[in-house]
Amino acid sequence: MIRVTTSLLNQLSDLVGQAFEKCDLDPSFGKVVVSQRRELGQFQCNGALGAAKKAKKNPREIAEKIVAELEKTGLFNELSLAGPGFINMRLNDEFLIKHIDQISGDASFGARDGHTPETVILDFGGPNVAKAMHVGHLRATIIGESLRRLRTFLGDSVVSDVHFGDWGLPMGMLIKEIELAKPDLPYFEEGNSGPFSEVSPVTVDELQLLYPAASGRSKEDPEFLEAARQATFKLQQGHAGYRALWQHMLDVSVNETKIDFDLLGAHFTEWKGEADTNDHMPGMLDRFKKEGLSEISDGAVVVHVAEEDDKKEMPPLILQKSDGAVMYGTTDLATIEIRQQDHKPDSILYVVDARQSLHFEQVFRAARKGKSITEHTKLEHVGFGTVNGKDGKPLKTRDGGVVRLRSLIEDAIAEARKVVLEAGLDDRFDAEELDNIAKKVGVAAIKYADLSNPRMSNYVFDIERFTKFEGRTGPYQMYAAVRIKSMLRKAAEQGLKQGPLVMTADAERNLILALSLLPEAALAAADKNAPNILCDHVYALTQEFNSFYHDCHVLGEKDEAVRSSRLTLCAITLRQIETVLQILGIDVPERM
Ligand code: ARG
């Protein structure tokens, strides 16, 4: 019996595995892959070589026996041998058609069949209070959002948490800086326990100036730094005025980042932050102390996380500094415990800059040591490389400053508008639709460029290249989908119907093969947290569609059965391209 699965490669591997079994050989040798040389076959199996080695037999003889077994199934159009014992296969059309009918009737094209659903928490975005999101948050947001969509597509129950940076020393620094600028505000009055005004005393623009000022002052003025430390501690202990002021800073910052997240189409189910650990903190610190998991070192409370076979230095995780303040790692550890209570996750994935790998290693080890999370729960730092300028160094503004995320997106949209105007689209669309198209093209350009690189690699930000309507770009993939849409619209206008599939050309078969590989691509992308695999898949698919469209008439086809079959094929292809682009966070406009 063929296992019930909608992945074509799995079905074939099972089938060939059974042939091996009939020849008294291990069925695992039946693994089938897509052929690298299409002229020889659609698929190949190289297992006869391994099987022969194990059985001390001639590989070609074994391959011949397997081929004889496979011939009996009647499912193949062509079976041949190459080299020392490679088996090449071409499926018959009924099989292909049945397969594509089956997966095209499924929302996930069969991908969900190969996935065991789990509860996964995705921690991404990670903006900080008072700081505008910068280029460093770009990848966290784009990759995180795409993994969120992918996991949802595969049927997981997904929690996405923005994990705002809102609880460390920068908060005390800001409080003190605001006090210097506006000393008369009620938040600083000794003993004032509120209530305080509903209106924030600072705007987001002010905050973004106050932060660098405070940070510069902390470096120059040790007294200011000390005052900031104390303010941080008081804030964490619940000082009413500081709390109220902090809430204002948080609110205006959150509202500001929501604009960026909306532009990038990122979605969070939780808007929590470091500060949300505050109530949990005393109990956790207590437990770590009582269970002997933490100890005092130079006045600080630390957890030793080094292990014997460590190749690199593994400093202890600092839970509390000598002044009592908790750290970035302490809030992350407490967040793990809270997530365990709230969601009982199977995995927690942190989509954060690769340069934070030591931090996560320390936190994960402390969490394991303290049993903060169940043993089976996977904790993974999904790191990524930097976005570089054309000089190969991390992207900076012309005067050496940090590049704001907003300006990056705005530049991309402006460049997209230029390209769209050059293509003459303004003759066909009104201003509003043109705006909409430019926005979609600009965002698609940034996202596809980012996601198509293996996540750990750095890449050069080159918006002119990203917005091109050719090659491996977002706009190109998007355009491929728009063209199919417009063709299907034309067909509908002419009253042409879609109908059952019939195969008349290899280009049609190849397109079906490309469509059939989505489950493999989606599952591998989820397994490795690698959206680039889906970028490759959609690129291969649009290429295959182009060949099909080049070789086969669709609207102009005279034979009605062939034409309606091809229209069906176009509709399935469109749905799959749109589905994958949707996972990558790319919206396809209706017209372009
Ligand atoms: N706010 C941090 C930053 O800007 C990122 C937070 C990542 N998430 C986490 N759980 N540590 O670097």
Side-chain angles (χ1 to χ4, degrees), residues 217-468:
R217 204 185 300 283
S218 303
K219 280 183 197 121
E220 282 154 22
D221 181 351
E223 254 171 59
F224 178 83
L225 182 62
E226 185 45 39
R229 279 220 173 89
Q230 281 173 22
T232 308
F233 186 65
K234 280 190 190 162
L235 170 74
Q236 294 181 354
Q237 294 299 306
H239 181 288
Y242 288 179
R243 273 301 180 91
L245 181 55
W246 169 83
Q247 189 66 51
H248 282 307
M249 296 196 284
L250 179 61
D251 291 345
V252 294
S253 303
V254 166
N255 286 339
E256 183 65 13
T257 58
K258 279 189 174 161
I259 301 173
D260 292 317
F261 287 134
D262 280 349
L263 273 170
L264 289 175
H267 179 77
F268 297 96
T269 60
E270 296 199 339
W271 282 84
K272 292 198 169 179
E274 297 163 359
D276 287 289
T277 60
N278 206 47
D279 294 342
H280 186 84
M281 206 57 96
M284 182 183 84
L285 293 172
D286 235 32
R287 184 175 72 83
F288 268 73
K289 190 168 143 196
K290 265 205 214 103
E291 294 180 10
L293 301 162
S294 63
E295 53 195 83
I296 310 284
S297 165
D298 287 334
V301 181
V302 305
V303 182
H304 286 288
V305 291
E307 284 160 17
E308 246 171 54
D309 46 4
D310 279 339
K311 299 262 179 315
K312 54 179 195 285
E313 206 200 333
M314 186 56 63
L317 181 76
I318 303 176
L319 292 184
Q320 245 178 331
K321 282 188 296 185
S322 48
D323 62 8
V326 295
M327 313 276 289
Y328 183 43
T330 332
T331 52
D332 260 329
L333 185 60
T335 302
I336 291 181
E337 298 198 343
I338 295 169
R339 286 175 177 165
Q340 170 65 28
Q341 281 170 13
D342 291 356
H343 302 290
K344 304 198 172 36
D346 299 296
S347 317
I348 310 180
L349 308 180
Y350 297 79
V351 186
V352 185
D353 196 316
R355 288 171 290 189
Q356 293 193 24
S357 69
L358 178 64
H359 164 78
F360 285 108
E361 184 67 49
Q362 291 174 299
V363 170
F364 295 167
R365 287 187 183 196
R368 296 276 177 226
K369 199 170 167 181
K371 301 204 169 27
S372 302
I373 190 93
T374 50
E375 228 167 300
H376 86 270
T377 302
K378 191 163 148 195
L379 298 171
E380 192 174 345
H381 173 204
V382 179
F384 50 78
T386 56
V387 181
N388 292 343
K390 287 185 183 155
D391 59 359
K393 297 200 192 100
L395 195 64
K396 288 264 157 56
T397 57
R398 227 163 267 158
D399 51 12
V402 235
V403 180
R404 287 183 58 166
L405 183 61
R406 184 83 49 84
S407 69
L408 215 61
I409 305 171
E410 279 165 358
D411 288 355
I413 296 175
E415 185 64 30
R417 173 184 299 278
K418 234 169 70 189
V419 176
V420 164
L421 290 180
E422 274 162 22
L425 263 63
D426 50 336
D427 296 343
R428 295 192 283 132
F429 299 119
D430 63 21
E432 194 186 333
E433 195 161 358
L434 216 55
D435 271 353
N436 182 28
I437 294 174
K439 191 179 150 207
K440 286 189 167 151
V441 171
V443 171
I446 302 188
K447 287 192 174 181
Y448 192 86
D450 191 297
L451 294 171
S452 57
N453 287 292
R455 125 176 103 66
M456 291 304 278
S457 321
N458 306 333
Y459 71 88
V460 173
F461 195 86
D462 180 353
I463 196 61
E464 278 137 49
R465 190 162 64 78
F466 297 171
T467 46
K468 282 210 162 67

Side-chain angles (χ1 to χ4, degrees), residues 64 98 124 140 150 177 202 217 219 242 375 377 449 481 491 495 526 546 566 574:
E64 268 160 20
K98 219 177 94 203
F124 68 96
L150 173 60
E177 190 66 27
V202 283
R217 204 185 300 283
K219 280 183 197 121
Y242 288 179
E375 228 167 300
T377 302
N546 286 347
R566 288 181 182 164
L574 173 63

Side-chain angles (χ1 to χ4, degrees), residues 115-157:
H115 185 71
T116 313
E118 59 167 30
T119 299
V120 55
I121 299 181
L122 277 160
D123 178 319
F124 68 96
N128 301 304
V129 164
K131 290 196 248 178
M133 287 220 275
H134 55 76
V135 52
H137 296 113
L138 180 77
R139 302 205 73 189
T141 305
I142 293 179
I143 299 170
E145 176 62 15
S146 136
L147 295 178
R148 188 189 72 75
R149 293 176 184 218
L150 173 60
R151 292 306 202 103
T152 308
F153 171 77
L154 288 175
D156 287 328
S157 151

